Amino acid sequence: MSMVKALLIPLLLAGPAPVQAAEPTWAAPLSTRGRYIVDANGERFKLKSANWHGASGTWNGSGDVNVDANHHAGENSRRIPMGLDRVSIETVVNGFKDIGINSVRLPFSDEMLRDTQPVTGAADPTLNGLTPLQVYDRVVTSLTNAGLAVILNNHTNTTKWCCGVDGNERWNASQTTAEWEESWLTMVRRYRDNPRVVGADLYNEVRRNVLDDPNWGGGDDHDWFAASQHLGDRILREANPNLLIIVEGINWTGIPVDGFAHGRPTLTPVRTLSHTLVTSGKLVYSAHFYDYTGPNHSGATGIGETSDPRYRDFSRDDLFTVLDRDAFYVSGTPDQHFTAPVWISEFGVDAGSAPGSSQRQWFASFTDYLIQTDADFAYWPAVGWLDNRSANNWALLFWDRSGGFDSVKSDWRYDAWSRLTTSGKSGYIAPTARWSMLSPDRGDFVASSLLRDRPDWDSGARKAACPDGQRLIGIADKGNRGLCTDTGGASSWTNYEVVKDERYVSTDWASGYTKFQCPAGALLVGYAVRGAAMSSALCGYANAPASSGRTIWFDRGDNRPAGNPGGDFATGYYKGQCAVGEYAAGIAWTGRIGSARTPDAVFCRSLV
């Protein structure tokens, strides 16, 4: 044993020094500006987080739930956050602050909300006899009182260890989607008056069950895009408009057998189909990365293992390429409909990995990439058992039953961890233009909270409308997709008019075509279709200048500004889009033989 290690041991066993309560240096609520999360003052709030697991369960799903050996790695959380059978909540919270995190991802299961079995075996006797949800309440209060931000994470349906073919593969695997939504609304309302509860991480590692895959936009009850879009809007409108809505990509599809299609889509579908929430500036995407998994490797050994490379098998350069392709492009590509912060809400490594091992090399490369991209992150897990490190050595903080303590500060990971927690842009983040996709692919896509409180403006039609404060700037010839923005101002509106004829057409800007044009001073903020055909235009009064305007034709090819601001909002279809300094004031279409009454031209006017 080295002399340095010998001197450190008494300090480590003593645990982290008590942290004095202090006002946090950030102001709730949090929101987003482009790829950054910011506080109420516009200051960067980088999520430097850890996962305090346990409340969502550690039981493997077979055997006596009271026997530690039947829990993941032999660690029984007792249905409450890990480590509370050993030390107090405050001791753990002090440990978090000591290692430099500012936020905690706090998993829960839907079953936890209904679990009335009293907690036993907690180190703090005042926790014994409470329900798991009541202990969760105490944990949230202690974390936020210490100035830490809390992100609620719906980890599982049932209180079991995640994540295999376990009945928790989807948000609706062991319950209905309606039950899932109501559980979420209950949780959000429960903490609505605590401003440091800042986010709702909607579901963990959506993946295939034995028979079926989840999908992104498929329109069935396995459609994760639609489910997360719907719940995110409900949370913001019905429970708490201040929360960040965090949507993880799809974790796995296909059969993990060589010769069968399989893979980890992660955030790749976001490029062509992104969320537009009813409140702008609240969307965060997330993804998970571990050395033993891969873009086409399930992470299994034996059954379920394929010949595909794991992330630890890639060279540093190839790893960086794959990470960008599958997730980090979302935050790394500015001024797109999909641009948003990306929170790596799980990553970690076994601290017992041998020197020179591929696991250590992967961790060094991955944390370097997090630093290089200035990504938000959450390490998994935060807390483990000190007396079990030979079996599970992944945590950042460890306690044994007598209160003995050790932390990441004493092992090889600390150099990378220290650099990670002290890196990143800080200070004021200037507001940036918002770009939002409208995707009424299978039903109404009304992103305006104002309109949702008003009567149906085109009954029987499929409707799309921009978020409040944005205007329509582009539309596709087929597929009914649209693009909204707030660039250049003149986008705020409260009064509107539905246009279904040519009464406001002042000049024939699309000869031979039917034209829906907004009245003077109004701009396009939405539209309605029947099937693929145009049904109406929605015009918002915004005191927009009524300049002479110009026609953008896109009946034979894309007609968009140089650089494609906003991104490809309708992949595979022709698109027309006004310039950044313009607004759309009309849509033209034709019903002649061979045409489908779909948009062919857009009328653009200058904002100045």
Side-chain angles (χ1 to χ4, degrees):
M1 180 185 299
S2 71
M3 181 174 293
V4 171
K5 184 73 172 179
L7 291 172
L8 279 174
I9 285 176
L11 296 174
L12 295 172
L13 292 177
V19 177
Q20 296 297 317
E23 283 298 310
T25 57
W26 58 282
L30 302 183
S31 58
T32 69
R33 290 183 177 178
R35 55 89 71 228
Y36 295 108
I37 297 170
V38 299
D39 75 358
N41 298 318
E43 299 286 321
R44 169 83 186 281
F45 187 89
K46 181 174 181 176
L47 291 177
K48 302 177 181 183
S49 319
N51 285 270
W52 193 2
H53 77 297
S56 60
T58 51
W59 182 48
N60 285 326
S62 62
D64 187 344
V65 72
N66 296 308
V67 175
D68 291 353
N70 296 328
H71 290 252
H72 176 71
E75 295 180 345
N76 182 355
S77 72
R78 302 177 185 273
R79 297 171 295 130
I80 58 178
M82 182 66 70
L84 295 185
D85 63 327
R86 293 147 186 261
V87 292
S88 68
I89 297 172
E90 290 71 25
T91 298
V92 178
V93 173
N94 287 337
F96 291 161
K97 298 192 75 170
D98 187 54
I99 59 173
I101 67 173
N102 62 10
S103 45
V104 171
R105 183 179 185 242
L106 195 61
F108 69 89
S109 73
D110 296 279
E111 184 181 355
M112 184 195 82
L113 277 64
R114 305 181 298 274
D115 187 353
T116 58
Q117 181 182 348
V119 168
T120 60
D124 178 353
T126 68
L127 301 182
N128 292 318
L130 301 180
T131 67
L133 180 55
Q134 289 170 332
V135 174
Y136 194 95
D137 291 340
R138 295 273 192 97
V139 168
V140 169
T141 298
S142 292
L143 289 166
T144 56
N145 282 351
L148 297 172
V150 170
I151 297 93
L152 308 175
N153 162 234
N154 185 200
H155 211 67
T156 51
N157 299 174
T158 62
T159 303
K160 291 197 299 186
W161 180 255
C162 177
C163 290
V165 181
D166 56 2
N168 291 305
E169 300 88 354
R170 297 187 313 276
W171 62 98
N172 56 1
S174 299
Q175 62 188 349
T176 67
T177 296
E179 289 170 333
W180 173 64
E181 290 191 352
E182 290 307 313
S183 292
W184 253 120
L185 294 176
T186 296
M187 285 293 280
V188 171
R189 289 169 181 147
R190 191 176 187 90
Y191 305 111
R192 177 168 47 197
D193 294 332
N194 187 337
R196 293 175 193 160
V197 175
V198 300
D201 183 355
L202 299 186
Y203 203 71
N204 183 73
E205 297 193 4
V206 173
R207 57 198 182 276
R208 181 186 176 90
N209 61 14
V210 174
L211 298 175
D212 298 299
D213 286 327
N215 65 78
W216 192 274
D220 58 17
D221 66 352
H222 294 182
D223 184 345
W224 176 228
F225 169 81
S228 53
Q229 172 75 41
H230 189 263
L231 176 58
D233 282 348
R234 286 198 69 189
I235 288 172
L236 292 171
R237 279 181 53 81
E238 300 176 34
N240 187 345
N242 293 321
L243 287 188
L244 296 175
I245 302 299
I246 300 166
V247 180
E248 188 180 332
I250 293 177
N251 190 260
W252 187 263
T253 60
I255 302 172
V257 175
D258 286 338
F260 288 81
H262 56 264
R264 196 177 304 279
T266 319
L267 294 175
T268 53
V270 175
R271 189 181 295 275
T272 54
L273 180 58
S274 63
H275 293 73
T276 297
L277 296 174
V278 74
T279 303
S280 298
K282 292 298 181 182
L283 175 66
V284 174
Y285 284 112
S286 73
H288 295 176
F289 293 100
Y290 291 101
D291 69 270
Y292 60 88
T293 63
N296 297 96
H297 199 298
S298 69
T301 55
I303 297 175
E305 184 174 12
T306 62
S307 59
D308 304 289
R310 303 173 191 262
Y311 289 116
R312 68 188 180 216
D313 298 327
F314 287 100
S315 69
R316 181 183 173 93
D317 288 346
D318 288 345
L319 174 65
F320 287 9
T321 298
V322 168
L323 294 174
D324 179 75
R325 180 197 70 192
D326 292 352
F328 288 81
Y329 79 90
V330 173
S331 57
T333 315
D335 296 324
Q336 305 288 289
H337 62 83
F338 57 74
T339 304
V342 171
W343 184 39
I344 304 306
S345 54
E346 285 188 27
F347 78 103
V349 72
D350 182 357
S353 302
S357 64
S358 59
Q359 289 92 335
R360 287 203 185 196
Q361 293 169 3
W362 173 86
F363 188 72
S365 295
F366 188 74
T367 51
D368 281 351
Y369 191 73
L370 292 177
I371 293 168
Q372 176 181 307
T373 56
D374 197 5
D376 300 76
F377 61 86
Y379 186 94
W380 181 285
V383 178
W385 287 7
L386 180 60
D387 45 322
N388 198 40
R389 290 191 72 167
S390 61
N392 188 8
N393 204 3
W394 285 66
L396 297 172
L397 303 171
F398 300 87
W399 281 273
D400 65 21
R401 295 191 187 280
S402 63
F405 172 76
D406 200 356
S407 88
V408 66
K409 287 186 171 183
S410 71
D411 68 49
W412 62 269
R413 297 171 297 168
Y414 188 60
D415 175 65
W417 178 255
S418 179
R419 289 188 297 109
L420 185 58
T421 54
T422 56
S423 67
K425 182 181 178 67
S426 61
Y428 181 75
I429 304 295
T432 186
R434 301 190 191 281
W435 300 89
S436 302
M437 171 188 283
L438 297 180
S439 53
D441 303 11
R442 305 179 187 279
D444 284 357
F445 200 93
V446 177
S448 164
S449 187
L450 184 152
L451 286 172
R452 291 197 184 189
D453 293 329
R454 304 290 178 87
D456 187 339
W457 47 272
D458 195 342
S459 181
R462 203 164 70 254
K463 293 166 284 292
C466 296
D468 297 334
Q470 296 189 36
R471 66 185 186 279
L472 191 73
I473 197 169
I475 196 166
D477 71 327
K478 295 180 178 65
N480 307 124
R481 296 274 182 90
L483 182 68
C484 304
T485 189
D486 62 359
T487 56
S491 298
S492 295
W493 52 275
T494 53
N495 296 321
Y496 59 91
E497 182 174 350
V498 181
V499 175
K500 297 184 177 182
D501 54 36
E502 296 190 334
R503 71 183 65 189
Y504 294 117
V505 176
S506 53
T507 60
D508 191 358
W509 50 269
S511 180
Y513 286 71
T514 302
K515 295 169 280 292
F516 292 161
Q517 182 175 330
C518 293
L523 37 77
L524 273 168
V525 295
Y527 51 92
V529 294
R530 297 177 187 271
M534 289 300 304
S535 176
S536 63
L538 184 70
C539 301
Y541 286 95
N543 295 319
S547 59
S548 57
R550 66 190 182 105
T551 304
I552 299 292
W553 290 97
F554 53 98
D555 54 334
R556 292 181 176 84
D558 269 11
N559 194 345
R560 304 183 61 217
N564 294 331
D568 188 348
F569 59 92
T571 302
Y573 298 117
Y574 298 151
K575 295 166 286 291
Q577 183 175 327
C578 301
V580 168
E582 296 178 325
Y583 66 93
I587 300 172
W589 51 271
T590 179
R592 68 168 68 108
I593 296 175
S595 299
R597 296 166 53 97
T598 57
D600 291 301
V602 62
F603 184 52
C604 303
R605 282 177 160 164
S606 175
L607 283 168
V608 294

